[in-house]
Amino acid sequence: MTDDHEHYEAVVVGCGPGGAAAAARLADHGVETLVLERGPEAGSKNVSGGLVYAEESAPYTLDDLFDGFREAATERPVTDYYIHNVAGNSVKTYDLTDLHEHDTDWCDSVLRRDMDSWLETRVHEKTSATGGGVLTNVRVNGLLRDHGEIVGVTCDELEPIEADLIVAADGVNSELARDAGLMDWAEPEEWFQGVKAVVDMAPDAIDDRFDIGPEEGAAHLFSGDLFEDVRGGGFLYTNADSLSIGTVFHLDSLVEQSAEPHELLDALLTHPLLAGWFKNEYHEREYAAKLVPDSKKVAHRRPYRDRLVLVGDAAGQMQAQGPIIKGMNHAVTAGALAADAFAITRGTADPAAAGRRYTTLLEDSGTMAKLRPRRYDLARTVGERDTVTNAVERVLASPIGSLAVGNPIADRLLQRAYNSPFLVSMLPDTKTGYISLPTLIAEEHGKTIHWESDIEPPTLEERIGDLTYDTDVGNPHIELRDESAAASGAAVTACPVSARDFGGGCYRSEAVTTNGTEETLVSLDTQPCVECGTCAIVADTEWEHPRGGKGVEYREG
Amino acid sequence: MRSIVLTKGVPDFSEGAVSFDEDGHLERGKTPTVMNPNDEVALQAALQTTVRHGGHVSGMSMGPPGYGEVLQEAMASVYTDDSYLLSDRELAASDTWATAITLSAGLETYQEEVADIDLVFAGFKTADGETGQTGPQTCWAMEWPIVTHVIALDIDPDERTLRAKRLVEGDIDEVETVEAPLPCFVVTDPEFEPTYRTASHRLTHKRLRAETEERAANHDAHLTTWDHADLNLDPDYIGLDGSPTIVSSVDPIPKAPSEREATMIDPDEDDMGDVLEEMHPFAAGAGD
Ligand SMILES: Cc1cc2nc3c(=O)[nH]c(=O)nc-3n(C[C@H](O)[C@H](O)[C@H](O)COP(=O)(O)OP(=O)(O)OC[C@H]3O[C@@H](n4cnc5c(N)ncnc54)[C@H](O)[C@@H]3O)c2cc1C
Ligand code: SF4
């Protein structure tokens, strides 16, 4: 064995909710635990919507693992929950509080820089007591192997480190999961892309405009024709003194429609419905984006190899339960279960014992069933078959369909249907669920808003200009392997900080004439990159995260 | 390892902090004093030594009682275990020579009263009129070897030696590696960068940083002040009275020649004899 490497009992890669939970629980078990985080501070790389759920049925929640979590690290508890079906200026709103409260012990809005950095401090306290601790500005760049077996990690900044347990909690686009051959980054339909703006609003203005108390919060979801034909939806969550407003779209749909993510966000921000809340004041604190895995398709059923276990987004454990997005809570559960699995199997000769036990715990706790519902697999075969979709679409478009959706009884039924966790999780990933039905509902039942929005969101250039970067000059973390438009052209629009005819973004396309034939080539400048992961999937690239501490630094997240 | 870092207060030249009188002269009384920015590098070198080999770092400074804040800044912003301020009205307005005498008296008193010293670190010359000679002169007074322009450093505690990379400036900068016995005087170059390549070093670094910040919040409890009596210094020999030089203009310190050979010698009689013999012709002017 390689004696010259430093050894820790456990190494946790990433200090988001998944890594924090794993490390805290490992420390509780007395396991010597080292946590490596590539950001200058935990949270500086992370984005979520963000509502943190504590499910009644979950084996672990953040406040179980971290005393005082809600008081110190969250924004507001969500007490009101609505969905708005939009067709032009016509909006039909349903109260989804029942759906939201289903299996919910509590649910708070969060901003990730504050939340994760608070967790980092607690995790460092706990793990220091075991002889380990949290190190920031360290990027793990691969797995250390001995005779083909995974035994540790390699880093940009440090000598290789060996460990008995390696927890990959490195989020979506996990380089470790890819290195282990457990995840690939091939299919756009397996991912969502989330884009978000954090917008200033004084606490009393929030209370007043959303009709809530200081200790209350509101969540609003948006679907319908707001985003034309791109499948996905919008959200607005209240924080203590700001709003988180964003969109989540199926990546394949974004690519198919050649949609510009920032324009879709702007479509939401400038909708008259939101003007009523903004009252003509708009100051954007931060623009952010990140990919989100779709657990229904990619949650790994056996997320381990040798001593390596995957937790959270790295394992694809991000559940889109209809409009409700649950990633952080599952990352926490998975992290804690992985730690328990290691504690139970500690000292076993078989290096994969912890991983195997972790898989069993995911099953037995019901977590895997939430992430990959069997009924979805059944519904999917129906939902995704175009013929069926088209048939449903035709019915909805017909006078009979409208009549069915449009009658007053249907209205009540629809509200109930939206509030059924079972039905929402059945909503297939097609236009029907995201666009046609909500649009029709709005047309048939909606109230028309008679004012216009005066809000002018910042341009992409201004948004990039407002972000903080520590650029790794001369050392780009993404390289284009194929610069043809066919291979990489999709990134020009799908990249959230690039756009057609915008020279200041990451991806640009230019017409080049060689030997008399004109072709379109794609070029890349990673300086404005927000490390969202999109082009790792939709373009032909050599994709890595930047070195520790380099790249974009979110202040809000 | 027992390290001393010599720190110096300089006027805060950062924007908005400097105060000038009507004639455009710097008002030192109104301009806050901060640590010489180059001393941070020296502190980093001492911290790196402590992270790698364990030990104790004391900050030492000479100046008016207010300079306690400079030592506090050293403790808060990088690392020291405790602070020693050499402060006395008699010590005011010392030139580099008298400063060197006082600092070496401080080091000697430290060795007598506190502990044996392995390493003394100092930063590169300051921007406020210092000539860059305090370090060498203090060292000369201590009769220790000195290594200047240090950009990287490693210690062998068993052999009690230090290996350092020095930046030798020239038309083309060169880096030379030298070795010296401990105790030794180290003048860091502004290019010095501490490196921590293992997880355990980084964890130790993080722990020491947290501890020193906490300590600095209660700095007075870690501060010892020595006056000329404590230092056994004759007031006639120090301060303005004892300053043989008057600064007329400031020249850059001569650049070290870029090609040379470093030979390790044992400071015992025989070896020293060899050295003296080799140097004799030059000393007599025969080398020209
Ligand atoms: C727009 C948007 C809205 C969302 N809304 C919600 C919501 O409302 N509710 C919800 O529960 N979830 C939501 N999510 C999903 C949620 O953010 C993720 O599921 C969750 O953050 C996953 O946690 P994690 O710990 O697995 O990974 P992350 O939180 O991504 O943490 C991974 C950590 O690993 C670090 N890291 C990565 N690579 C390396 C490396 N090589 N070396 C060292 N460190 C590394 C990163 O810096 C990061 O700190 C949303 C996501 C987006 C993008
Ligand atoms: S360059 Fe790639 S990873 Fe960076 S922001 Fe654009 S799509 Fe995302």
Side-chain angles (χ1 to χ4, degrees):
Chain A
M1 217 28 178
T2 39
D3 292 331
D4 47 339
H5 294 142
E6 276 195 352
H7 173 272
Y8 289 83
E9 258 191 297
V11 168
V12 176
V13 182
C15 197
R25 197 77 193 117
L26 283 164
D28 289 346
H29 288 298
V31 177
E32 179 198 39
T33 305
L34 175 70
V35 183
L36 302 174
E37 162 61 47
R38 70 186 179 93
E41 182 180 57
S44 59
K45 296 290 183 180
N46 302 344
V47 188
S48 83
L51 300 185
V52 173
Y53 279 87
E55 291 183 329
E56 281 160 6
S57 60
Y60 290 102
T61 60
L62 273 165
D63 60 335
D64 291 341
L65 297 168
F66 299 97
D67 275 347
F69 170 77
R70 295 185 71 194
E71 295 70 27
T74 72
E75 298 286 316
R76 286 176 186 250
V78 177
T79 46
D80 297 30
Y81 204 102
Y82 303 96
I83 190 162
H84 306 277
N85 297 282
V86 179
N89 278 13
S90 181
V91 178
K92 174 67 196 175
T93 302
Y94 289 132
D95 186 336
L96 284 196
T97 311
D98 283 352
L99 174 65
H100 163 70
E101 287 179 349
H102 169 78
D103 194 25
T104 302
D105 183 8
W106 54 264
C107 170
D108 291 355
S109 58
V110 293
L111 289 167
R112 292 296 296 278
R113 182 69 186 253
D114 280 355
M115 171 179 125
D116 294 17
S117 60
W118 185 87
L119 289 174
E120 180 199 320
T121 309
R122 301 286 92 71
V123 169
H124 185 65
E125 285 164 7
K126 283 181 178 242
T127 50
S128 295
T130 70
V134 181
L135 293 178
T136 53
N137 290 315
V138 176
R139 170 181 162 258
V140 172
N141 59 20
L143 293 163
L144 180 70
R145 290 183 170 84
D146 185 39
H147 297 98
E149 186 193 320
I150 297 166
V151 295
V153 294
T154 57
C155 312
D156 287 345
E157 293 78 14
L158 300 179
E159 304 294 331
I161 302 163
E162 281 183 28
D164 304 334
L165 174 75
I166 303 139
V167 180
D170 49 345
V172 72
N173 295 87
S174 159
E175 291 174 73
L176 294 189
R178 179 181 58 172
D179 188 343
L182 292 170
M183 297 285 263
D184 66 27
W185 300 349
E187 304 299 333
E189 49 269 27
E190 295 174 347
W191 314 89
F192 302 98
Q193 185 199 68
V195 174
K196 163 173 146 174
V198 177
V199 181
D200 260 342
M201 193 173 281
D204 49 350
I206 295 177
D207 299 347
D208 186 37
R209 295 174 201 175
F210 290 89
D211 195 18
I212 49 179
E215 299 301 317
E216 294 177 333
H220 293 262
L221 303 173
F222 308 87
S223 64
D225 68 0
L226 197 51
F227 310 114
E228 303 195 347
D229 277 343
V230 192
R231 283 178 284 119
F235 61 83
L236 179 156
Y237 307 137
T238 54
N239 302 317
D241 62 358
S242 63
L243 306 177
S244 289
I245 306 175
T247 51
V248 177
F249 294 105
H250 284 272
L251 187 55
D252 55 330
S253 181
L254 270 178
V255 171
E256 272 159 27
Q257 306 290 326
S258 301
E260 299 277 8
H262 68 287
E263 287 176 2
L264 296 174
L265 176 66
D266 291 347
L268 173 60
L269 292 171
T270 56
H271 193 272
L273 186 57
L274 274 70
W277 290 314
F278 290 143
K279 305 261 185 255
N280 282 334
E281 291 162 37
Y282 185 86
H283 176 250
E284 196 172 292
R285 285 193 202 164
E286 187 172 84
Y287 174 77
K290 190 159 250 22
L291 282 195
V292 191
D294 185 351
S295 70
K296 295 194 290 296
K297 294 166 185 161
V298 292
H300 205 290
R301 292 187 191 281
R302 272 177 291 282
Y304 68 92
R305 172 144 306 159
D306 304 333
R307 307 175 190 187
L308 173 76
V309 295
L310 313 180
V311 310
D313 277 9
Q317 295 161 342
M318 196 343 282
Q319 179 195 12
Q321 187 184 28
I324 294 188
I325 293 180
K326 291 181 170 176
M328 292 182 273
N329 58 316
H330 292 311
V332 167
T333 294
L337 290 179
D340 289 348
F342 179 73
I344 298 166
T345 57
R346 211 171 175 184
T348 317
D350 174 8
R356 205 168 301 117
R357 180 60 69 101
Y358 165 54
T359 305
T360 317
L361 292 177
L362 281 174
E363 295 281 352
D364 294 352
S365 61
T367 310
M368 197 42 95
K370 291 177 194 163
L371 295 170
R372 296 201 75 139
R374 251 181 63 76
R375 58 175 181 267
Y376 171 78
D377 285 338
L378 299 176
R380 183 184 188 183
T381 48
V382 181
E384 282 188 347
R385 223 182 282 142
D386 287 345
T387 44
V388 180
T389 310
N390 287 343
V392 178
E393 289 281 320
R394 264 203 302 279
V395 174
L396 283 177
S398 73
I400 302 169
S402 308
L403 198 67
V405 176
N407 78 50
I409 300 168
D411 190 17
R412 248 178 298 138
L413 284 176
L414 279 167
Q415 172 141 333
R416 266 182 50 201
Y418 266 100
N419 270 302
S420 152
F422 176 75
L423 286 180
V424 229
S425 68
M426 293 271 286
L427 272 183
D429 308 329
T430 57
K431 233 181 105 182
T432 319
Y434 283 110
I435 304 149
S436 313
L437 189 57
T439 308
L440 190 56
I441 292 170
E443 280 167 355
E444 293 298 327
H445 299 286
K447 287 211 179 71
T448 305
I449 299 174
H450 293 290
W451 59 81
E452 291 295 321
S453 172
D454 289 334
I455 298 304
E456 268 186 45
T459 62
L460 200 46
E461 189 170 13
E462 288 164 337
R463 283 172 165 155
I464 293 169
D466 286 342
L467 285 168
T468 308
Y469 295 96
D470 181 352
T471 306
D472 197 357
V473 182
N475 190 17
H477 60 284
I478 310 170
E479 305 223 359
L480 255 187
R481 253 193 313 231
D482 186 338
E483 50 185 30
S484 71
S488 303
V492 177
T493 49
C495 168
V497 287
S498 303
R500 269 180 300 253
D501 307 320
F502 171 52
C506 291
Y507 283 91
R508 301 137 202 214
S509 63
E510 21 186 33
V512 181
T513 314
T514 25
N515 301 336
T517 36
E518 192 179 277
E519 67 177 324
T520 306
L521 289 186
V522 178
S523 65
L524 168 65
D525 168 9
T526 54
Q527 200 282 322
C529 174
V530 293
E531 301 156 30
C532 74
T534 300
C535 65
I537 319 278
V538 307
D540 190 356
T541 59
E542 203 86 59
W543 201 99
E544 291 185 343
H545 290 101
R547 283 195 296 146
K550 296 293 178 186
V552 74
E553 179 182 338
Y554 290 126
R555 310 244 175 240
E556 307 283 335
Chain B
M1 289 292 121
R2 173 71 60 158
S3 304
I4 305 283
V5 184
L6 302 178
T7 58
K8 183 179 191 310
V10 294
D12 184 355
F13 284 118
S14 63
E15 224 177 296
V18 209
S19 185
F20 294 99
D21 68 12
E22 283 167 6
D23 303 330
H25 292 137
L26 182 71
E27 290 190 294
R28 274 203 104 131
K30 287 197 186 157
T31 305
T33 300
V34 293
M35 190 175 76
N36 167 24
N38 288 337
D39 290 348
E40 196 207 309
V41 185
L43 287 159
Q44 293 288 4
L47 174 55
Q48 176 187 288
T49 305
T50 310
V51 166
R52 292 188 184 172
H53 308 290
H56 186 105
V57 182
S58 297
M60 189 177 282
S61 195
M62 175 187 152
Y67 269 39
E69 282 172 29
V70 173
L71 289 162
Q72 181 174 25
E73 190 186 336
M75 187 179 277
S77 66
V78 185
Y79 182 88
T80 55
D81 288 279
D82 46 26
S83 302
Y84 290 83
L85 179 62
L86 319 182
S87 184
D88 197 314
R89 230 173 317 151
E90 307 282 355
L91 302 176
S94 306
D95 71 359
T96 56
W97 174 251
T99 303
I101 294 291
T102 309
L103 285 173
S104 58
L107 295 176
E108 254 152 33
T109 308
Y110 189 96
Q111 301 233 78
E112 277 156 29
E113 310 247 320
V114 188
D116 281 345
I117 298 167
D118 298 304
L119 286 152
V120 176
F121 292 94
F124 199 56
K125 64 178 171 181
T126 57
D128 75 332
E130 197 203 299
T131 57
Q133 291 167 13
T134 311
Q137 285 173 346
T138 310
C139 165
W140 183 86
M142 296 297 293
E143 298 176 6
W144 285 351
I146 182 165
V147 188
T148 58
H149 294 93
V150 169
I151 55 167
L153 180 72
D154 203 17
I155 311 278
D156 187 333
D158 299 330
E159 295 291 320
R160 292 197 52 75
T161 54
L162 160 158
R163 270 163 59 83
K165 278 193 181 145
R166 306 182 60 235
L167 187 69
V168 187
E169 281 177 47
D171 290 342
I172 301 167
D173 286 351
E174 284 182 21
V175 175
E176 98 185 349
T177 306
V178 296
E179 212 171 295
L182 300 183
C184 179
F185 206 102
V186 175
V187 180
T188 50
D189 190 274
E191 301 279 306
F192 178 92
E193 283 236 18
T195 48
Y196 302 103
R197 289 284 308 171
T198 66
S200 56
H201 281 169
R202 290 220 181 182
L203 287 172
T204 305
H205 178 267
K206 185 168 172 169
R207 178 172 54 77
L208 294 182
R209 282 284 308 129
E211 286 170 6
T212 200
E213 270 179 26
E214 201 170 303
R215 235 185 344 258
N218 186 17
H219 181 249
D220 283 353
H222 306 280
L223 175 67
T224 304
T225 305
W226 284 334
D227 62 14
H228 75 272
D230 298 317
L231 296 171
N232 242 331
L233 278 174
D234 179 353
D236 289 343
Y237 200 59
I238 50 171
L240 251 194
D241 296 349
S243 289
T245 57
I246 291 171
V247 179
S248 53
S249 72
V250 181
D251 292 326
I253 52 169
K255 284 176 182 167
S258 60
E259 272 176 51
R260 67 171 120 173
E261 205 179 305
T263 317
M264 273 286 289
I265 51 153
D266 260 346
D268 63 46
E269 302 280 318
D270 284 359
D271 278 7
M272 281 310 281
D274 293 348
V275 174
L276 288 176
E277 204 137 294
E278 271 195 40
M279 284 172 63
H280 184 75
F282 299 96
D288 294 336

